[in-house]
Amino acid sequence: DEFVIGVLAPFGEDRQFLMALVQLKNTTKDYLLKTYDQFSYKQNMALYPNFLKAILSEEETVIWENAQQEEVAEIFIDHMEKQQFSDSFIINSINFWHRFCQQNAPQFKNGAAYAAAVEYIMLKEENDAVTQSDIAERYEVNPSTLSQIIKKFG
């Protein structure tokens, strides 16, 4: 999908409309309209660069299959923000969880244990010296439950 985007720029004593044809990545019409509503003309146009960043982002658009999967993401994000992890680490981890959900359609009751598993796996991927016991304690889950869930990720 493509769209035309432009800006009115000063050119001598006149103004020139500079435009470009933009290829959207991972963007649907509904997502574009939702994002536009968030940055509507009613708001300060200083937000325009943020609007462009939002629609041109290469991050995956995440649509959860059910509330439990989304709850895991929310629990994980809450823990990561409290520990001041980088946005890129959080985004990569959420995308990892989303792909796992798409491929495996997990059914569960303990969202915190799955959030803990995502944190453990992603930290291990970065060669962090974290232990399952440390993560289980942070999320207040049983270490053996965490271990069983980590095995489900393969």
Side-chain angles (χ1 to χ4, degrees), residues 64-119:
W64 301 106
E65 293 295 318
N66 61 53
Q68 293 156 322
Q69 294 174 2
E70 186 171 5
E71 178 190 24
V72 169
E74 290 169 358
I75 292 168
F76 176 82
I77 290 168
D78 183 55
H79 277 262
M80 294 294 95
E81 288 177 345
K82 285 178 183 172
Q83 297 177 69
Q84 299 181 335
F85 274 81
S86 71
D87 289 345
S88 62
F89 179 83
I90 295 170
I91 290 167
N92 289 338
S93 300
I94 294 302
N95 288 337
F96 167 76
W97 169 241
H98 186 243
R99 283 189 300 277
F100 177 81
C101 290
Q102 287 178 314
Q103 294 168 359
N104 300 284
Q107 299 293 315
F108 54 88
K109 293 181 182 175
N110 189 347
Y114 274 82
V118 170
E119 180 175 340

Side-chain angles (χ1 to χ4, degrees), residues 18-46:
L18 305 173
M19 65 178 183
L21 189 60
V22 178
Q23 180 78 33
L24 297 177
K25 297 178 183 349
N26 298 321
T27 305
T28 64
K29 181 180 176 184
D30 290 338
Y31 174 73
L32 182 63
L33 293 173
K34 179 181 172 188
T35 304
Y36 175 77
D37 286 343
Q38 291 174 347
F39 295 96
S40 72
Y41 66 90
K42 296 174 188 171
Q43 297 179 0
N44 183 340
M45 283 310 292

Side-chain angles (χ1 to χ4, degrees), residues 128-143:
D128 194 297
V130 70
T131 66
Q132 290 182 17
S133 295
D134 292 339
I135 300 293
E137 187 176 323
R138 278 187 218 158
Y139 286 83
E140 299 178 358
V141 298
N142 186 308

Side-chain angles (χ1 to χ4, degrees), residues 5-11 14-19 48:
I5 193 160
V7 63
L8 195 57
F11 188 71
D14 294 327
R15 303 236 184 268
Q16 187 74 31
F17 185 71
L18 305 173
M19 65 178 183
Y48 184 68

